Structure formats: C-alpha cells, structure tokens
Amino acid sequence: MICLKIIDSPWRPSINIPVGDLKEHQSVTISCSAVTPCPHSPPELTWNLQQDSERQTEKNADGTFTTKIQETITLSDTHDGYNISCSARYPVNGGSKTAETEVTLSVSYAPKDTSASISPSGLLSAGSWVELSCSSRAKPPASFTWFRNSTEGPIKLSEGNFSSINVTMGGQHYCVATNPLGNDTSPMACVSIKDSPWSPSINISVGDLKEHQSVTISCSAVTPCPHSPPELTWNLQQDSERQTEKNTDGTFTTKIQETITLSDTHDGYNISCSARYPVNGGSKTAETEVTLSVSYAPKDTSASISPSGLLSAGSWVELSCSSRAKPPAILSWFRNSTDGPNKLTEGNFSSINVTMGGQHYCVATNPLGNDTSPMACVNIKDSPWSPSINIPVGDLKEHQSVTISCSAVTPCPHSPPELTWNLQQDSERQTEKNTDGTFTTKIQETITLSDTHDGYNISCSARYPVNGGSKTAETEVTLSVSYAPKDTSASISPSGLVSAGSWVELSCSSRAKPPASFTWFRNSKHGAVNVSVGQVYSFNVTEGGEFYCEATNDLGTQRSAVIILDIKGNHLFLTLLLASIIVIVLILLMIMIWCFKSKRSNPKQTQNQAGEEADVEKAADIPEEEIHYGQVNFCKKEPEASTVSLQGCGEQETVYAQVKASNAGNSSTRTHDRPEDLYAQVNVKELHRNHT
C-alpha cells in the first residue's frame, strides 16, 4: 500500500474530556487524538500529562484511522486553570511537521485556606469596634458567616467576608466559608475584653511545706485565645514545658509546672511568674509572686563559751547557743563526762560557775528534728599542760630507725593545742581519743639515727588558747645515741727525726659511744704486728717503721692513718755526708787553681806555699769519717803594697764546708762528744804578686 497525503499543514490533535462539569475528587479520563492517514506511519503524540502514556491507532467506522493517547486522573483544586497541551508530529519528506492543541481545565472545589482576622487584636476595652475579615479560596466563590464561641456553643454574629462589630464580650471568633461543594472553618481569632492582662496564679500542691517533701509547683494563666496562648516565664526551671488545657466550662488555661524537693534553703524563697499577652502587635505582661514558707529541723547549731581557754576553778562563764530552725528550736546545754552527758541548763544564754573542765555542747530541738553543736571547751587549769616527748626504743644506736612523738593533753578535741618542734616542721597533727574518754594531740616523725644525733636536744612546745590569746608550755629531751668509733687518728711526740735510743710517745684518739679501746700495730714485711694496747704507746726507739692504731667498741672498729717513725743518722746521715764531700772537693779545686797561678808569678811565694799545700794534701788524706769543718780565707792582692805582711791581709774571702764525722775511732785527741760539732779553720792569705 502506498499512502498519499494531500495537505499543506499537519492535522491538529484534539483533546477530549468526557465529563462536562469538572469537580474536585472526580476521576476523569482525558485523551489526545490525531488524524492518521497512514496507519503504518502514525503521528507521534506528546503532552504534559503522564509522559509514558501508551499510543494507540484505531480504525474508525468510516474506514479512516485515528491515533490517540489517554490518562485517567483524580481532579483536585490544583487542577483548576491547569493547561493541558498536546502535540502531533507527522513525517514529511524525510522530515516532520508538528501541530499542537491546548485546553484549560475548569475544576470546581470547596472552600480552602479559610482565614479570619480581627483588627485591632489583643486586649480591648468593652464596647470597642473591631473589623472582622474573612478570606477563602473556593470555586464557585464562597459565602462567609461569622461566629463567636461561648459556653452555650457557637453564636452567629454576621455574614459577609468583611464586618464591623461592637464587642461587648471577648472570646474566640471565627468565620465559615461555604459553596455548593462544601465549607471550611477558619482558625480562631481572639478578642480579649480587658484593659490589663490577667495575672497568672501560682499553685503549690502541698499546703504545709516541710523540708525533704517533693512538691509540684505550677503557674497558670487565663487563655482567651488557645491558638495564641500567653507566654509564661518564672525563676524556677527555665525549660518548663508550656501546656494549654481546656477547662470544664469551655475556657482555656495555659500553665507551666515543676516538681522540686524542698530544703531549708527554700524557706523565704520568692517564686515569681509572668504571663505575656499579645496586644495590638505588641504585648502586655502581668506578674505574680509567692513566698515559700518551709519548716525544717535545726541547722548550723553552734556553741560558745566566754571567756574561753584556761580558767581557774570557780570562774563564771557565759554559755551561748544559736541555731537556725523553723519553728524555732529549744536549746539545752550538756557537759561530757566519763559517765556520759550531764545536762546543765536550758536556753540560748546561760551563766554558770565552772568547777570542772571538759567539753560542753548544746542541742537544738524542734518537731522536725534536732542538731548538736560542736564542742565548746572549758579548761580548769592556771597554766598549760607540758607536752611529753616519747622515744619508743630504750637503747638508741646509730642506723636505728625510730619514731619520735610529741603529745599533749587535749581537753577540747575540736580546739586542740598547736604543737611545734625542731624536727620536721610539716609533721601532721593528730587528735586521738584515749581509752578513758580523754583526748591527746600528737605529732610524730620517723628518723634514722646517726652519731650526730647524740646529745641532740629535741624541744616541743604546746600552745593552748587562753581568753583570746594563748599560753605555751615546752618540753626538752636530749638524745643519747651509741655509735661506732669515728674520726680515729694517731699522733707521735716528738715529731720529725729522732735519734736511735730516744723515747717517743704514740697517742690515739677517736669519737665513740661507749668509749673505744685502742690497739697499736706496726707494719712489717710479715704483716701488721700488735705492739701495744691502750690509748698511749711509749717506747725506746731502736729502729724506724710504720705504726697505726685501731679504736674498737661494741658497735664497730675504725683504723687510723699510718704514721712513719724516722731514725736520725740513717739515710739523712748519708745525704749530709755526700753533700759535705762535694763541698770539700770544690774548695780544694779552687785552692789548687789559685796556687798554680801564684807559683808562676812568684817562685818564692810558691815555695812558701808548698808547705801549706802539703798541709792541705795531708788533710785530704784523712779518712772521710775524720773530716771536720774547714774554712779558707783568701787575701786579695794589694797592688800598692811594697812589702809582704802576713798580718796585712785586708778583706778575706771565706769558704765554709761542713762534714759530719762518724763515731768510729777512739782517738784520745777528740775533744767533742758529737762528731758533727767538730770544726776546722784554714786561712790562706794571698801574697802580693811582687813578693819575693
């Protein structure tokens, strides 16, 4: 089949709605159809309803064809005025041509979005004129009727969307919009006939308030317009939830509430609550305040005695007691004793003659309970008690760890004496109850003993309060600590070099408790040899050596440093002898040089000097141990002298040498007891160079 289309422009599609008068909630089938000359190549249909509508091509009764799409929808007010557009696209010479049709829906619906307003709003005076305004969406347009709620039900006020009325009664006003399809009621518009806002009321669930009770407190306010309730605030929990409730008479009330547990701190507490009502675009606020009255048992009971501190027996004192309580408390005075409390008197003030010291207190009582004051102390004593120092270990020894305590009588444990001592200053003070019911305050410190603690004075003072001042007593104890020997040392007298056969005294000293015993030792090549016992060791020296002592007591032993004993004539003698020989050799060498020069210049002088040189050489042949001191005098030449005189030497140069001689030999010619005391003197005079 060959299709031939004779047309200048494409056929416009047609939109069909089978129902004539469209109303909301109706279900209608809407279709779009287009002429189809070539059913095997139908036009393409599109519209702005459901996009996936299925395209169908149908054969008409006259043999022609039609292509259509359709959609079934449920109408609502939103479809009113809705434009349905449908287009048909035909193929043309390898291209296409499109035609479009548009239909606007007209849907009837009941009133919607009805609202009412009153101007002015808020609180009004009775007889004021207000303008009522009502609006609504509806098709066909709605008619309006105004009503006011009352306890008997709604009261019709007027008709029309606008109305001015003179109000004599406040309350909730509303309008109703109506058309053939239905009606719609507006929210309430409130008229408040009052010149000032309603004051809120505060309600407490329990009448007689007592501490520890759990009570619910609420704040409520009249609410003429429940859709616009007043705003409530108070000084209790700030996040209390606001609730609007309908009363049995049809009115409304807005309230907030809080549950609290009462205590003595709530007595006299002011609860304030405010209600803020909207007024002509602003607001007006009313406030209510209620003061709580809470009963509670006695609190903060205290007792005092004047004068306080140490007193003499028979003194008069004034007792004073105070307490917070509701209802007021009855006050009673007691004194503690070993047999239990003794009742003294009643009343918040009382004067008594004290014959016994001790702890006094008062008790405050009312129907809700009682409360006891701290102790007030009376000390019957003219002077403070001296503290005692206790050292638990009897025999004190170094390195021991001991706990030392200082304690003082404490007649008033709530006001104990202040203890100070010369041990650790931050010692913690403790007050303890004794088995007889009395109290003791003490400080203590644990120390490790050493020799430095022996003889140490521990002093402790106790300071007691006395009539606004204080009195102090002090105790002192001297420590006696045993310790091993310390600072052991040895000494020798005389000190330095000693001669063989001399007497020397070795002495040993040491600090020790109990006193130390001493033992002397001499080092030898075989080890230490015990040579003596006792603090002093005296002996005749036969040889040198190294000595030391040891100090010993029950707690230990300590050794002194070594002292060295040197014997004169040993290595010291050899050293001096060698030095003397060297000096003599130097002297002889100088003499020989001088003589050699003199002989060359004056033969006679050389001859005369020969004898002297012989004497010197002879002296040189003397054994070393026989050499004594020598002195050589040189007489310088005097150029202007014409004669030689042995007496005429002027200045002389003298050279001394000292040689120690040994004790060897028993020459009868020795006139000195000690060889080192022997001296020799040789004077050599220098002759004049021209002497013959």
Side-chain angles (χ1 to χ4, degrees):
M1 180 181 292
I2 299 174
C3 186
L4 181 63
K5 297 180 286 185
I6 306 296
I7 191 169
D8 292 330
S9 60
W11 292 269
R12 289 185 178 275
S14 62
I15 297 174
N16 180 49
I17 302 170
V19 179
D21 190 9
L22 301 178
K23 295 181 177 64
E24 65 176 341
H25 309 308
Q26 275 184 332
S27 181
V28 296
T29 299
I30 303 172
S31 63
C32 175
S33 58
V35 174
T36 307
C38 300
H40 67 278
S41 178
E44 182 181 348
L45 297 177
T46 58
W47 61 358
N48 58 347
L49 291 182
Q50 190 71 25
Q51 288 301 318
D52 58 357
S53 304
E54 186 177 354
R55 183 177 62 176
Q56 298 173 345
T57 301
E58 299 173 349
K59 188 175 183 179
N60 303 318
D62 60 359
T64 62
F65 289 86
T66 299
T67 299
K68 70 176 180 180
I69 55 176
Q70 64 182 21
E71 186 70 31
T72 300
I73 62 174
T74 299
L75 297 174
S76 70
D77 61 297
T78 60
H79 289 107
D80 181 53
Y82 186 79
N83 291 323
I84 299 176
S85 61
C86 182
S87 62
R89 185 164 63 87
Y90 292 87
V92 176
N93 297 330
S96 65
K97 284 190 176 182
T98 301
E100 186 178 54
T101 301
E102 186 174 86
V103 172
T104 300
L105 296 180
S106 178
V107 179
S108 298
Y109 54 91
K112 312 287 183 187
D113 305 328
T114 304
S115 64
S117 64
I118 297 177
S119 179
S121 62
L123 296 178
L124 300 171
S125 300
S128 299
W129 284 89
V130 295
E131 184 176 279
L132 308 178
S133 177
C134 189
S135 64
S136 181
R137 288 193 306 105
K139 191 172 183 179
S143 60
F144 300 96
T145 305
W146 280 92
F147 297 87
R148 180 176 62 82
N149 275 338
S150 70
T151 55
E152 289 83 16
I155 298 174
K156 183 177 179 180
L157 298 178
S158 63
E159 290 185 355
N161 57 340
F162 292 100
S163 180
S164 293
I165 61 173
N166 185 290
V167 291
T168 56
M169 295 182 65
Q172 293 176 329
H173 294 63
Y174 63 92
C175 66
V176 176
T178 305
N179 73 0
L181 297 178
N183 57 60
D184 187 41
T185 300
S186 73
M188 297 295 175
C190 197
V191 174
S192 300
I193 305 300
K194 202 171 192 299
D195 290 327
S196 59
W198 291 268
S199 294
S201 61
I202 297 174
N203 181 55
I204 302 171
S205 59
V206 179
D208 188 11
L209 302 180
K210 296 181 177 65
E211 65 176 343
H212 310 308
Q213 273 184 330
S214 181
V215 297
T216 299
I217 303 173
S218 63
C219 174
S220 57
V222 173
T223 307
C225 302
H227 68 279
S228 179
E231 181 181 347
L232 298 177
T233 57
W234 61 359
N235 58 347
L236 291 182
Q237 190 72 24
Q238 288 302 318
D239 58 356
S240 303
E241 185 177 355
R242 182 176 63 176
Q243 298 172 339
T244 299
E245 300 173 350
K246 187 174 183 177
N247 305 318
T248 55
D249 60 359
T251 60
F252 290 85
T253 299
T254 299
K255 71 176 182 180
I256 54 177
Q257 65 182 24
E258 188 69 31
T259 299
I260 63 174
T261 299
L262 297 174
S263 70
D264 61 294
T265 60
H266 289 107
D267 181 55
Y269 184 79
N270 291 324
I271 298 177
S272 61
C273 182
S274 62
R276 185 162 63 89
Y277 290 87
V279 177
N280 297 333
S283 65
K284 283 190 176 182
T285 301
E287 187 176 52
T288 299
E289 188 172 83
V290 170
T291 301
L292 297 180
S293 177
V294 180
S295 299
Y296 54 92
K299 312 285 181 186
D300 306 329
T301 304
S302 64
S304 63
I305 297 179
S306 179
S308 61
L310 297 178
L311 302 170
S312 300
S315 300
W316 283 89
V317 297
E318 183 176 280
L319 308 178
S320 177
C321 184
S322 65
S323 181
R324 288 192 306 107
K326 191 172 184 178
I330 297 172
L331 305 175
S332 301
W333 278 93
F334 296 85
R335 180 178 63 82
N336 274 340
S337 69
T338 55
D339 303 320
N342 292 331
K343 186 173 181 179
L344 300 178
T345 183
E346 287 188 355
N348 54 343
F349 292 99
S350 182
S351 294
I352 61 171
N353 185 289
V354 291
T355 56
M356 297 180 65
Q359 295 175 327
H360 293 64
Y361 62 92
C362 68
V363 177
T365 305
N366 74 358
L368 297 178
N370 56 62
D371 187 41
T372 301
S373 73
M375 297 295 173
C377 199
V378 174
N379 296 330
I380 305 299
K381 200 172 192 295
D382 291 326
S383 59
W385 291 267
S386 295
S388 61
I389 297 175
N390 180 48
I391 304 170
V393 179
D395 188 12
L396 303 180
K397 296 180 176 65
E398 66 175 341
H399 310 308
Q400 270 185 333
S401 182
V402 297
T403 299
I404 302 173
S405 64
C406 174
S407 57
V409 173
T410 306
C412 301
H414 69 280
S415 179
E418 181 181 348
L419 298 177
T420 56
W421 61 358
N422 58 346
L423 291 182
Q424 190 72 24
Q425 287 303 317
D426 58 357
S427 304
E428 184 177 357
R429 181 176 65 176
Q430 299 172 338
T431 300
E432 300 172 349
K433 188 174 184 179
N434 306 319
T435 54
D436 61 357
T438 61
F439 289 84
T440 299
T441 298
K442 72 176 182 179
I443 54 177
Q444 64 182 23
E445 188 70 28
T446 300
I447 62 174
T448 300
L449 298 173
S450 70
D451 61 294
T452 60
H453 289 107
D454 182 52
Y456 184 80
N457 291 327
I458 298 177
S459 61
C460 181
S461 63
R463 185 162 65 90
Y464 291 86
V466 177
N467 296 335
S470 64
K471 282 190 176 181
T472 301
E474 187 176 51
T475 300
E476 188 172 82
V477 170
T478 301
L479 296 180
S480 177
V481 180
S482 300
Y483 54 92
K486 314 285 181 187
D487 306 329
T488 304
S489 63
S491 62
I492 183 171
S493 179
S495 60
L497 295 175
V498 298
S499 302
S502 301
W503 282 88
V504 296
E505 182 179 271
L506 303 181
S507 178
C508 190
S509 65
S510 181
R511 289 192 306 105
K513 191 170 183 179
S517 59
F518 300 96
T519 305
W520 284 95
F521 295 87
R522 180 177 181 276
N523 285 333
S524 70
K525 62 183 179 179
H526 303 295
V529 178
N530 187 332
V531 295
S532 178
V533 174
Q535 186 173 7
V536 178
Y537 172 35
S538 298
F539 61 96
N540 188 284
V541 178
T542 58
E543 59 179 344
E546 295 180 347
F547 295 83
Y548 65 88
C549 66
E550 283 186 356
T552 304
N553 68 3
D554 296 337
L555 299 178
T557 299
Q558 189 181 45
R559 175 184 296 183
S560 73
V562 171
I563 59 175
I564 299 175
L565 177 64
D566 281 336
I567 303 298
K568 188 185 297 183
N570 290 339
H571 63 279
L572 181 60
F573 171 74
L574 295 176
T575 301
L576 294 175
L577 179 61
L578 179 60
S580 300
I581 292 173
I582 292 173
V583 171
I584 294 298
V585 170
L586 291 174
I587 293 172
L588 293 177
L589 182 59
M590 292 172 64
I591 293 173
M592 291 175 65
I593 293 172
W594 178 81
C595 290
F596 177 75
K597 290 181 178 181
S598 298
K599 186 174 182 180
R600 291 182 61 185
S601 61
N602 194 338
K604 290 183 178 182
Q605 181 179 350
T606 302
Q607 183 179 0
N608 292 334
Q609 189 176 352
E612 295 177 0
E613 291 177 352
D615 292 338
V616 173
E617 291 175 357
K618 183 177 180 181
D621 293 335
I622 298 174
E624 291 182 359
E625 62 272 14
E626 294 294 334
I627 297 175
H628 305 304
Y629 291 89
Q631 175 179 317
V632 179
N633 294 336
F634 294 91
C635 183
K636 294 183 180 180
K637 180 183 70 171
E638 298 180 3
E640 297 179 358
S642 60
T643 59
V644 176
S645 174
L646 295 176
Q647 308 295 326
C649 287
E651 296 180 359
Q652 298 180 348
E653 290 183 1
T654 303
V655 179
Y656 291 91
Q658 179 179 355
V659 180
K660 294 183 180 179
S662 67
N663 278 334
N666 296 319
S667 174
S668 61
T669 61
R670 195 175 71 184
T671 61
H672 300 282
D673 293 335
R674 298 177 65 181
E676 59 269 28
D677 294 333
L678 299 179
Y679 292 85
Q681 178 175 335
V682 178
N683 294 329
V684 180
K685 300 179 180 179
E686 183 181 0
L687 298 179
H688 195 274
R689 180 177 297 179
N690 297 323
H691 181 261
T692 56

